Amino acid sequence: MDLLDIRSALRSDDEEIRRSALKSLKGVSLNDSFDVVVTAMGDESWRVRKEAVEIFVFSEPDENFIERLLEFLRSEDNAGLRNSAAEAVIRLGSTASQPLIRLLSDSDADVRKFIIDVMGAIGDPVFAQPLLASLEDHDANVASAAAEHLGSLGESSVTPNLIRAIVMNESILFRFSALEALGKLATPSFVPEEILKLAGQEILRKAVYDCLGNISDESSITLLLEGLACSQKSARAAAVKALFRVYERSDQNVRHDIVDRLCTLKDSPSIAGLFELFETGDYVLIEALIWFSRVNTDVRFVPFLLELFVADRVAEAALMSLKNFGPEGMAEVVACYSTAGENARVALCALIGECGYSIYSDLVQNSLRDNSARVRNTAAVSLGKLGYISSIPDLVTLIDDANLDVCSAAVISLQKFALIDRATILGIARCLSDSELPHHRRYASLLLASMGESERLLLLVNDEDPQVRKAAVSSIGILPSDEAGSILIMSLLDVDPDVRIAAADALGEMKSVIALAALESALEDDDIWVQCAAMKAIDRIEPERILPIVKQIYTNAEGLLMITCLQLLEHNPDPDALSIIQNALKSTDRDIVLQASKSLERIKSINIQ
């Protein structure tokens, strides 16, 4: 297709015809094709424009063609052409540096701004000096763009120039951009008074605080402390984050000074505005506020920390701060407990248990009757941590709670109390084991196992209820009883598959060698989950048996059983194991193929290590 045909094709209404025609230009000199390529860069279709950009870049244009293309940055009536020209030059990178630099002296401010944005997109350090010169541009947009892209270049040597420009150029737009750039470039050090004074302008205050958080040493502490009480919410947030950053990078002497100064603000009205900052999704800010509360220990922070304590992401940090308040610091919150929200009640119960605040044990015990299942659950767990044996009768009552998590929490705490008052817990376990209610007998097995009461536990292995048998079988596996192994082997023949699975798991946990034959027999079980449990148990007892077993069954193994085989072969260095995994990639079962791929990846990572 010659140039005449290409020009004709570019007038077609069909986008694909126009795009395909452009491909014919590859290898054609720009001396012949430049006008055609530029026309296509202004096409209404982004796919055609993209193809034109590819053609231009592929042609490896010299500075002459780059300068000619840059002229189209002036195209006000065709944004597509203007953007395509910029994209092509950006793709050329440093090759376009000299034409770009020369065009910075253009009389059109919009062109200069566009050129600076292109320089910033290329990101070559060769543009540092031209961008520095543009800081003095009389057009605020141009100067602001130069400051912004200097920050992106990462040339810290321009820091003094930025500071001078911030002082000299009073444009708010410029100062915003330059302060942000300064925050990216400067290393922590003394900050000139001229920069600190800019915080006196309300519109710039947040930008100054953000900048100080990145570049300041302790010289800005006084200013940042004043920022904690300013009327702008965003500025207060920036001030507390900046304080935290300065603290983190300071030496011990400076840290002590910061802590001392924060402690003087305890109970002060000046920090009341910080409390509303907790209502945010900004976790950098939340981290800073938690730090502030930890060193300041103003009791007004406690309700907010309690809410954070039940949020997994910051729970540990909130707990560290709450511990700093001590049991006395909790007094005010405890007094308001009855009217507190659910999250606060949960958090306070958990905190009392975590910190061992036994003086509040009665409050936690009373919380066992809370309307909220989450509160009852947390209270039950905390009472076990506190060792508060007076709560045993109430915990026993919770075994019949409508919420299963609450029931389990109560049993776990009763297990802990067995170490303190064995006789009482043993009596409870025996009563539960004789109960007509299956869930009582199920929980009895857990209590009996925790006290090593194998004789009564063994009776529950034959219970009429399968869930009780399952619980008893799972529990008996943790007992050092010679009889337990034999009982578990018998349980591999239970009529309920869940019991058989529990028996296999328990035998694997016990590493019972005498059970290997029975476990291999269980590989013939009608339930695939039992087969998989048996395989895993064998692997725990005698791993070297797995490969021979897999060799025997893998040709007929399907679904979950084959996936289990592949997982167990991952750590086997034998070439036959690798061969089986590779062969599984040919399976028609998508899940097996996926597992085989994962297993091969894990084998590779193990070999690399």
Coordinates of all heavy atoms in Angstrom, one line a residue, residues 398-482:
L398 N -23.8 -20.9 81.2 CA -23.6 -20.5 79.8 C -23.4 -21.7 78.9 O -23.5 -21.6 77.7 CB -22.4 -19.6 79.7 CG -22.5 -18.2 80.2 CD1 -21.3 -17.4 79.8 CD2 -23.8 -17.5 79.6
I399 N -23.2 -22.9 79.4 CA -23.1 -24.1 78.6 C -24.4 -24.3 77.8 O -24.5 -24.9 76.8 CB -22.8 -25.3 79.4 CG1 -21.3 -25.2 79.9 CG2 -23.0 -26.6 78.7 CD1 -20.9 -26.3 80.8
D400 N -25.5 -23.7 78.3 CA -26.8 -23.8 77.6 C -27.2 -22.6 76.9 O -28.3 -22.4 76.5 CB -27.9 -24.1 78.7 CG -27.8 -25.5 79.3 OD1 -27.5 -26.5 78.5 OD2 -27.9 -25.7 80.5
D401 N -26.2 -21.7 76.7 CA -26.4 -20.4 76.0 C -26.9 -20.7 74.5 O -26.5 -21.7 73.9 CB -25.2 -19.6 76.0 CG -25.5 -18.1 75.6 OD1 -25.5 -17.8 74.4 OD2 -25.6 -17.3 76.5
A402 N -27.7 -19.8 74.0 CA -28.2 -20.0 72.6 C -27.1 -19.8 71.6 O -27.2 -20.3 70.5 CB -29.3 -19.0 72.4
N403 N -26.0 -19.2 72.0 CA -24.9 -18.9 71.1 C -23.8 -19.9 71.3 O -23.3 -20.0 72.4 CB -24.4 -17.5 71.3 CG -23.3 -17.1 70.3 OD1 -22.2 -17.5 70.4 ND2 -23.7 -16.3 69.3
L404 N -23.4 -20.7 70.3 CA -22.4 -21.7 70.5 C -21.0 -21.2 70.8 O -20.3 -21.8 71.5 CB -22.3 -22.6 69.2 CG -23.6 -23.4 68.9 CD1 -23.3 -24.2 67.6 CD2 -23.8 -24.4 70.0
D405 N -20.7 -20.0 70.3 CA -19.4 -19.4 70.7 C -19.3 -19.1 72.2 O -18.3 -19.3 72.8 CB -19.2 -18.1 69.9 CG -18.9 -18.4 68.4 OD1 -18.5 -19.5 68.1 OD2 -19.1 -17.5 67.6
V406 N -20.4 -18.7 72.7 CA -20.5 -18.4 74.1 C -20.3 -19.7 74.9 O -19.6 -19.8 75.9 CB -21.8 -17.7 74.5 CG1 -21.9 -17.5 76.0 CG2 -21.9 -16.4 73.8
C407 N -21.0 -20.8 74.5 CA -20.9 -22.1 75.2 C -19.4 -22.5 75.2 O -18.9 -23.0 76.2 CB -21.7 -23.1 74.4 SG -23.5 -22.7 74.4
S408 N -18.8 -22.4 74.0 CA -17.4 -22.9 73.9 C -16.5 -22.0 74.8 O -15.5 -22.6 75.4 CB -16.9 -22.8 72.4 OG -17.7 -23.6 71.6
A409 N -16.7 -20.7 74.8 CA -15.9 -19.8 75.7 C -16.0 -20.2 77.1 O -15.0 -20.2 77.9 CB -16.3 -18.4 75.5
A410 N -17.2 -20.5 77.5 CA -17.5 -20.9 78.9 C -16.7 -22.2 79.3 O -16.1 -22.3 80.3 CB -19.0 -21.1 79.2
V411 N -16.8 -23.2 78.4 CA -16.1 -24.5 78.6 C -14.6 -24.3 78.6 O -13.9 -24.9 79.5 CB -16.4 -25.5 77.5 CG1 -15.6 -26.7 77.6 CG2 -17.9 -25.9 77.6
I412 N -14.0 -23.4 77.8 CA -12.6 -23.2 77.8 C -12.1 -22.6 79.1 O -11.1 -22.9 79.7 CB -12.2 -22.2 76.6 CG1 -12.4 -22.9 75.3 CG2 -10.8 -21.7 76.8 CD1 -12.3 -22.0 74.1
S413 N -12.9 -21.6 79.6 CA -12.6 -21.1 80.9 C -12.7 -22.1 82.1 O -11.9 -22.1 83.0 CB -13.5 -19.9 81.2 OG -13.0 -18.8 80.5
L414 N -13.7 -23.0 82.0 CA -13.8 -24.0 83.0 C -12.6 -25.0 82.9 O -12.2 -25.5 84.0 CB -15.1 -24.8 82.8 CG -16.4 -24.0 83.1 CD1 -17.7 -24.8 82.6 CD2 -16.5 -23.8 84.6
Q415 N -12.1 -25.2 81.7 CA -10.9 -26.0 81.6 C -9.7 -25.4 82.4 O -8.9 -26.1 83.0 CB -10.6 -26.2 80.1 CG -11.5 -27.2 79.4 CD -11.2 -27.3 77.9 OE1 -11.1 -26.2 77.2 NE2 -11.0 -28.5 77.4
K416 N -9.6 -24.1 82.2 CA -8.6 -23.4 82.9 C -8.7 -23.4 84.5 O -7.8 -23.6 85.2 CB -8.5 -21.9 82.5 CG -8.1 -21.7 81.0 CD -8.0 -20.3 80.6 CE -7.6 -20.1 79.2 NZ -7.5 -18.7 78.8
F417 N -10.0 -23.4 84.9 CA -10.2 -23.5 86.3 C -9.9 -24.8 86.9 O -9.7 -25.0 88.1 CB -11.7 -23.1 86.6 CG -12.0 -21.7 86.5 CD1 -13.2 -21.2 85.9 CD2 -11.2 -20.7 86.9 CE1 -13.5 -19.9 85.7 CE2 -11.5 -19.3 86.8 CZ -12.6 -18.9 86.2
A418 N -9.8 -25.8 86.1 CA -9.4 -27.2 86.6 C -8.1 -27.2 87.2 O -7.8 -28.0 88.1 CB -9.5 -28.2 85.4
L419 N -7.2 -26.2 86.8 CA -5.9 -26.1 87.4 C -5.9 -25.5 88.8 O -5.0 -25.6 89.6 CB -5.0 -25.3 86.5 CG -4.7 -25.8 85.1 CD1 -4.0 -24.8 84.3 CD2 -4.0 -27.1 85.2
I420 N -7.0 -24.8 89.1 CA -7.2 -24.0 90.3 C -8.1 -24.8 91.3 O -7.8 -24.9 92.5 CB -7.8 -22.6 90.1 CG1 -7.0 -21.9 89.1 CG2 -7.9 -21.9 91.4 CD1 -7.6 -20.5 88.7
D421 N -9.1 -25.4 90.8 CA -10.1 -26.1 91.6 C -10.6 -27.4 90.9 O -11.7 -27.5 90.4 CB -11.3 -25.2 91.9 CG -12.3 -25.8 93.0 OD1 -12.1 -27.0 93.3 OD2 -13.2 -25.0 93.4
R422 N -9.7 -28.3 90.9 CA -9.9 -29.6 90.1 C -11.2 -30.3 90.6 O -12.0 -30.8 89.8 CB -8.7 -30.5 90.2 CG -8.9 -31.8 89.5 CD -7.7 -32.8 89.8 NE -7.9 -34.1 89.2 CZ -7.7 -34.4 88.0 NH1 -7.3 -33.5 87.1 NH2 -8.0 -35.6 87.6
A423 N -11.4 -30.4 91.9 CA -12.5 -31.1 92.5 C -13.8 -30.6 91.9 O -14.7 -31.4 91.5 CB -12.4 -31.1 94.0
T424 N -14.0 -29.3 91.9 CA -15.2 -28.7 91.5 C -15.5 -28.9 90.0 O -16.6 -29.3 89.6 CB -15.2 -27.2 91.8 OG1 -15.1 -26.9 93.2 CG2 -16.5 -26.5 91.3
I425 N -14.4 -28.7 89.2 CA -14.6 -28.9 87.8 C -14.8 -30.4 87.4 O -15.6 -30.7 86.5 CB -13.4 -28.4 87.0 CG1 -13.2 -26.9 87.3 CG2 -13.5 -28.6 85.5 CD1 -14.4 -26.0 87.0
L426 N -14.2 -31.3 88.2 CA -14.4 -32.7 87.9 C -15.8 -33.1 88.2 O -16.5 -33.9 87.5 CB -13.4 -33.5 88.8 CG -13.5 -35.1 88.6 CD1 -13.2 -35.4 87.1 CD2 -12.5 -35.7 89.5
G427 N -16.4 -32.5 89.3 CA -17.7 -32.8 89.7 C -18.7 -32.3 88.6 O -19.7 -33.0 88.2
I428 N -18.4 -31.1 88.0 CA -19.2 -30.6 87.0 C -19.1 -31.5 85.7 O -20.2 -31.8 85.1 CB -18.8 -29.1 86.6 CG1 -19.1 -28.2 87.8 CG2 -19.4 -28.6 85.3 CD1 -18.4 -26.8 87.7
A429 N -17.9 -31.9 85.4 CA -17.7 -32.8 84.2 C -18.5 -34.1 84.4 O -19.1 -34.6 83.4 CB -16.3 -33.0 84.0
R430 N -18.5 -34.7 85.5 CA -19.2 -35.9 85.7 C -20.7 -35.7 85.6 O -21.4 -36.6 85.0 CB -18.8 -36.5 87.1 CG -17.4 -37.1 87.1 CD -17.0 -37.5 88.5 NE -15.7 -38.1 88.5 CZ -15.0 -38.4 89.6 NH1 -15.5 -38.1 90.8 NH2 -13.8 -39.0 89.5
C431 N -21.2 -34.6 86.2 CA -22.6 -34.4 86.1 C -23.0 -34.2 84.6 O -24.1 -34.7 84.1 CB -23.0 -33.1 86.9 SG -23.0 -33.4 88.6
L432 N -22.2 -33.5 83.9 CA -22.5 -33.2 82.5 C -22.4 -34.5 81.7 O -23.2 -34.8 80.7 CB -21.5 -32.2 81.9 CG -21.6 -30.8 82.3 CD1 -20.5 -29.9 81.8 CD2 -23.0 -30.2 81.9
S433 N -21.5 -35.4 82.0 CA -21.4 -36.7 81.3 C -22.6 -37.6 81.5 O -22.8 -38.5 80.7 CB -20.1 -37.4 81.7 OG -20.1 -37.8 83.0
D434 N -23.3 -37.4 82.6 CA -24.5 -38.2 82.9 C -25.7 -37.6 82.5 O -26.8 -38.1 82.6 CB -24.6 -38.4 84.5 CG -23.4 -39.3 85.0 OD1 -22.9 -40.1 84.2 OD2 -23.1 -39.1 86.2
S435 N -25.6 -36.4 81.9 CA -26.8 -35.6 81.5 C -27.5 -36.3 80.3 O -26.9 -37.0 79.5 CB -26.4 -34.2 81.0 OG -27.5 -33.5 80.4
E436 N -28.8 -36.1 80.2 CA -29.6 -36.6 79.0 C -29.4 -35.8 77.8 O -29.8 -36.2 76.7 CB -31.1 -36.7 79.4 CG -31.4 -37.7 80.5 CD -32.9 -37.8 80.8 OE1 -33.6 -37.0 80.1 OE2 -33.3 -38.5 81.7
L437 N -28.8 -34.6 78.0 CA -28.6 -33.7 76.8 C -27.3 -33.9 76.1 O -26.2 -33.9 76.8 CB -28.7 -32.2 77.3 CG -30.0 -31.8 78.0 CD1 -29.8 -30.4 78.5 CD2 -31.1 -31.9 77.0
P438 N -27.3 -34.2 74.8 CA -26.1 -34.6 74.1 C -25.0 -33.5 74.2 O -23.8 -33.8 74.3 CB -26.6 -34.7 72.6 CG -28.0 -35.1 72.8 CD -28.5 -34.4 74.0
H439 N -25.4 -32.2 74.1 CA -24.4 -31.1 74.1 C -23.7 -31.1 75.5 O -22.6 -30.7 75.6 CB -25.0 -29.8 73.7 CG -25.8 -29.1 74.7 ND1 -27.2 -29.4 74.9 CD2 -25.5 -28.1 75.6 CE1 -27.7 -28.7 75.9 NE2 -26.7 -27.8 76.3
H440 N -24.4 -31.4 76.6 CA -23.8 -31.5 77.9 C -22.7 -32.6 77.9 O -21.6 -32.4 78.3 CB -24.8 -31.9 79.0 CG -25.6 -30.7 79.4 ND1 -26.6 -30.8 80.4 CD2 -25.7 -29.4 78.9 CE1 -27.2 -29.6 80.5 NE2 -26.6 -28.8 79.6
R441 N -23.0 -33.8 77.3 CA -22.0 -34.9 77.3 C -20.9 -34.5 76.4 O -19.7 -34.9 76.6 CB -22.7 -36.2 76.8 CG -23.9 -36.6 77.7 CD -24.3 -38.0 77.5 NE -24.7 -38.3 76.2 CZ -26.0 -38.1 75.7 NH1 -26.9 -37.6 76.5 NH2 -26.3 -38.5 74.4
R442 N -21.2 -33.8 75.3 CA -20.1 -33.4 74.4 C -19.1 -32.4 75.1 O -17.9 -32.6 75.0 CB -20.7 -32.6 73.2 CG -19.7 -32.3 72.1 CD -20.4 -31.9 70.8 NE -21.1 -30.6 70.9 CZ -22.3 -30.4 70.9 NH1 -23.2 -31.4 70.8 NH2 -22.9 -29.2 71.1
Y443 N -19.6 -31.5 75.8 CA -18.7 -30.6 76.6 C -18.0 -31.3 77.7 O -16.9 -31.0 78.1 CB -19.5 -29.4 77.1 CG -19.9 -28.4 76.0 CD1 -21.2 -27.9 75.9 CD2 -19.0 -28.0 75.0 CE1 -21.6 -27.0 74.9 CE2 -19.4 -27.1 74.0 CZ -20.7 -26.7 73.9 OH -21.1 -25.8 72.9
A444 N -18.7 -32.3 78.3 CA -18.1 -33.1 79.4 C -16.8 -33.7 78.9 O -15.8 -33.8 79.6 CB -19.1 -34.1 79.9
S445 N -16.8 -34.2 77.6 CA -15.6 -34.9 77.1 C -14.4 -33.9 77.0 O -13.3 -34.3 77.3 CB -15.9 -35.4 75.7 OG -16.1 -34.4 74.8
L446 N -14.7 -32.6 76.7 CA -13.6 -31.6 76.7 C -13.1 -31.4 78.1 O -11.8 -31.3 78.3 CB -14.1 -30.3 76.1 CG -14.7 -30.4 74.7 CD1 -15.2 -29.0 74.3 CD2 -13.6 -30.9 73.7
L447 N -13.9 -31.3 79.1 CA -13.5 -31.1 80.5 C -12.7 -32.3 81.0 O -11.7 -32.1 81.6 CB -14.7 -30.8 81.4 CG -15.4 -29.4 81.1 CD1 -16.6 -29.3 82.0 CD2 -14.5 -28.2 81.3
L448 N -13.2 -33.5 80.7 CA -12.6 -34.7 81.2 C -11.2 -34.8 80.6 O -10.2 -35.2 81.3 CB -13.4 -35.9 80.9 CG -14.8 -36.0 81.6 CD1 -15.6 -37.1 81.0 CD2 -14.5 -36.3 83.1
A449 N -11.1 -34.5 79.3 CA -9.8 -34.6 78.6 C -8.8 -33.6 79.2 O -7.6 -34.0 79.4 CB -9.9 -34.3 77.1
S450 N -9.2 -32.4 79.6 CA -8.3 -31.4 80.1 C -7.8 -31.8 81.5 O -6.7 -31.4 81.9 CB -9.0 -30.1 80.2 OG -10.0 -30.1 81.2
M451 N -8.5 -32.7 82.2 CA -8.1 -33.2 83.5 C -7.5 -34.6 83.4 O -7.1 -35.2 84.5 CB -9.2 -33.2 84.5 CG -9.7 -31.8 84.8 SD -11.1 -31.7 86.0 CE -12.4 -32.4 84.9
G452 N -7.3 -35.2 82.2 CA -6.8 -36.5 82.1 C -7.6 -37.6 82.6 O -7.1 -38.7 82.9
E453 N -8.9 -37.4 82.7 CA -9.9 -38.4 83.2 C -10.3 -39.4 82.0 O -11.4 -39.3 81.5 CB -11.1 -37.7 83.7 CG -10.8 -37.0 85.1 CD -10.6 -38.0 86.2 OE1 -11.3 -39.0 86.3 OE2 -9.7 -37.7 87.0
S454 N -9.3 -40.3 81.7 CA -9.6 -41.1 80.5 C -10.6 -42.2 80.7 O -11.4 -42.6 79.8 CB -8.2 -41.9 80.2 OG -7.8 -42.6 81.3
E455 N -10.8 -42.7 82.0 CA -11.8 -43.8 82.2 C -13.2 -43.4 81.9 O -13.9 -44.1 81.1 CB -11.7 -44.2 83.7 CG -12.6 -45.4 84.0 CD -12.4 -45.8 85.5 OE1 -11.4 -45.5 86.1 OE2 -13.3 -46.6 85.9
R456 N -13.6 -42.2 82.4 CA -15.0 -41.8 82.0 C -15.1 -41.3 80.6 O -16.1 -41.5 79.9 CB -15.4 -40.7 83.0 CG -16.9 -40.2 82.8 CD -17.3 -39.3 83.9 NE -17.5 -40.0 85.2 CZ -18.7 -40.3 85.7 NH1 -19.8 -40.1 84.9 NH2 -18.8 -41.0 86.8
L457 N -14.0 -40.7 80.1 CA -14.0 -40.3 78.7 C -14.1 -41.4 77.7 O -14.9 -41.3 76.7 CB -12.7 -39.5 78.4 CG -12.5 -38.9 77.1 CD1 -13.6 -37.9 76.8 CD2 -11.1 -38.2 77.0
L458 N -13.5 -42.6 78.1 CA -13.6 -43.7 77.2 C -15.1 -44.2 77.1 O -15.5 -44.8 76.1 CB -12.7 -44.9 77.7 CG -11.2 -44.6 77.5 CD1 -10.4 -45.7 78.3 CD2 -10.9 -44.6 76.1
L459 N -15.9 -44.0 78.1 CA -17.3 -44.4 78.1 C -18.0 -43.6 77.1 O -18.9 -44.1 76.4 CB -17.9 -44.2 79.5 CG -17.3 -45.1 80.6 CD1 -18.0 -44.8 81.9 CD2 -17.6 -46.6 80.3
L460 N -17.6 -42.3 76.9 CA -18.3 -41.4 76.0 C -18.0 -41.8 74.5 O -18.8 -41.3 73.6 CB -18.0 -40.0 76.3 CG -18.5 -39.4 77.6 CD1 -17.9 -38.0 77.9 CD2 -20.0 -39.4 77.7
V461 N -17.0 -42.5 74.3 CA -16.6 -42.9 72.9 C -17.7 -43.8 72.4 O -17.9 -43.9 71.2 CB -15.3 -43.7 72.9 CG1 -15.0 -44.3 71.5 CG2 -14.2 -42.7 73.3
N462 N -18.5 -44.5 73.3 CA -19.6 -45.4 72.8 C -20.9 -44.7 73.0 O -22.0 -45.4 73.0 CB -19.5 -46.7 73.6 CG -18.2 -47.4 73.3 OD1 -17.8 -47.6 72.2 ND2 -17.6 -47.9 74.4
D463 N -21.0 -43.4 73.1 CA -22.2 -42.7 73.4 C -23.2 -42.9 72.2 O -22.7 -43.1 71.0 CB -22.0 -41.2 73.6 CG -23.2 -40.5 74.1 OD1 -24.0 -40.0 73.3 OD2 -23.2 -40.3 75.3
E464 N -24.5 -42.8 72.4 CA -25.5 -43.0 71.4 C -25.5 -41.9 70.4 O -25.9 -42.0 69.2 CB -26.9 -43.2 72.0 CG -27.3 -42.0 72.7 CD -28.7 -42.1 73.4 OE1 -29.0 -43.3 73.7 OE2 -29.3 -41.1 73.7
D465 N -25.0 -40.7 70.8 CA -25.0 -39.5 69.9 C -23.7 -39.4 69.2 O -22.6 -39.4 69.8 CB -25.3 -38.3 70.7 CG -25.5 -37.0 69.9 OD1 -24.5 -36.5 69.4 OD2 -26.7 -36.7 69.6
P466 N -23.7 -39.3 67.8 CA -22.5 -39.3 67.1 C -21.6 -38.0 67.4 O -20.4 -38.1 67.3 CB -23.0 -39.3 65.6 CG -24.4 -38.9 65.6 CD -24.9 -39.4 66.9
Q467 N -22.3 -36.9 67.7 CA -21.5 -35.7 68.0 C -20.8 -35.8 69.3 O -19.6 -35.3 69.5 CB -22.4 -34.5 68.0 CG -23.0 -34.1 66.6 CD -21.9 -33.8 65.6 OE1 -20.9 -33.1 65.9 NE2 -22.0 -34.4 64.5
V468 N -21.4 -36.6 70.2 CA -20.7 -36.8 71.5 C -19.5 -37.8 71.3 O -18.4 -37.6 71.8 CB -21.7 -37.4 72.5 CG1 -20.9 -37.8 73.8 CG2 -22.8 -36.5 72.9
R469 N -19.7 -38.8 70.5 CA -18.7 -39.8 70.2 C -17.5 -39.0 69.5 O -16.3 -39.2 69.8 CB -19.2 -40.9 69.3 CG -20.2 -41.8 69.9 CD -20.3 -43.1 69.2 NE -20.6 -43.1 67.8 CZ -21.9 -42.9 67.3 NH1 -22.9 -42.8 68.1 NH2 -22.0 -42.9 66.0
K470 N -17.8 -38.1 68.5 CA -16.8 -37.4 67.8 C -16.0 -36.5 68.8 O -14.7 -36.5 68.7 CB -17.5 -36.5 66.8 CG -16.5 -35.6 66.0 CD -17.2 -34.7 65.1 CE -16.2 -33.7 64.4 NZ -16.9 -32.7 63.5
A471 N -16.7 -35.8 69.7 CA -16.0 -35.0 70.7 C -15.1 -35.8 71.6 O -13.9 -35.5 71.9 CB -17.0 -34.2 71.5
A472 N -15.6 -37.0 72.0 CA -14.8 -37.9 72.9 C -13.6 -38.4 72.2 O -12.5 -38.5 72.8 CB -15.7 -39.0 73.4
V473 N -13.8 -38.8 70.9 CA -12.7 -39.4 70.1 C -11.6 -38.3 69.9 O -10.4 -38.6 70.1 CB -13.2 -39.9 68.8 CG1 -12.0 -40.1 67.8 CG2 -13.9 -41.2 69.0
S474 N -12.0 -37.1 69.6 CA -11.1 -36.0 69.4 C -10.3 -35.7 70.7 O -9.1 -35.4 70.7 CB -11.8 -34.7 68.9 OG -12.4 -35.0 67.7
S475 N -11.0 -35.8 71.8 CA -10.4 -35.4 73.1 C -9.5 -36.5 73.6 O -8.4 -36.2 74.2 CB -11.5 -35.2 74.2 OG -12.4 -34.1 73.8
I476 N -9.8 -37.8 73.3 CA -9.0 -38.9 73.9 C -7.7 -38.9 73.2 O -6.7 -39.5 73.8 CB -9.8 -40.2 73.7 CG1 -9.2 -41.2 74.7 CG2 -9.6 -40.8 72.3 CD1 -10.1 -42.5 74.8
G477 N -7.6 -38.3 72.0 CA -6.3 -38.3 71.3 C -5.2 -37.6 72.0 O -4.0 -37.8 71.8
I478 N -5.6 -36.7 72.9 CA -4.5 -35.9 73.6 C -4.1 -36.5 74.9 O -3.2 -36.0 75.6 CB -5.1 -34.4 73.9 CG1 -6.2 -34.5 74.9 CG2 -5.5 -33.7 72.7 CD1 -6.7 -33.1 75.4
L479 N -4.7 -37.7 75.3 CA -4.4 -38.4 76.5 C -3.3 -39.4 76.3 O -3.3 -40.2 75.4 CB -5.6 -39.0 77.1 CG -6.8 -38.1 77.5 CD1 -7.9 -38.9 78.0 CD2 -6.3 -37.1 78.5
P480 N -2.3 -39.4 77.3 CA -1.2 -40.4 77.2 C -1.7 -41.8 77.7 O -1.1 -42.3 78.7 CB -0.1 -39.8 78.1 CG -0.9 -39.1 79.1 CD -2.1 -38.5 78.4
S481 N -2.7 -42.4 77.1 CA -3.3 -43.6 77.6 C -3.0 -44.7 76.6 O -3.2 -44.6 75.4 CB -4.8 -43.4 77.8 OG -5.4 -44.7 78.0
D482 N -2.5 -45.9 77.1 CA -2.2 -47.0 76.2 C -3.6 -47.5 75.6 O -3.6 -48.0 74.5 CB -1.6 -48.2 77.0 CG -0.2 -47.8 77.4 OD1 0.4 -46.9 76.8 OD2 0.3 -48.4 78.4

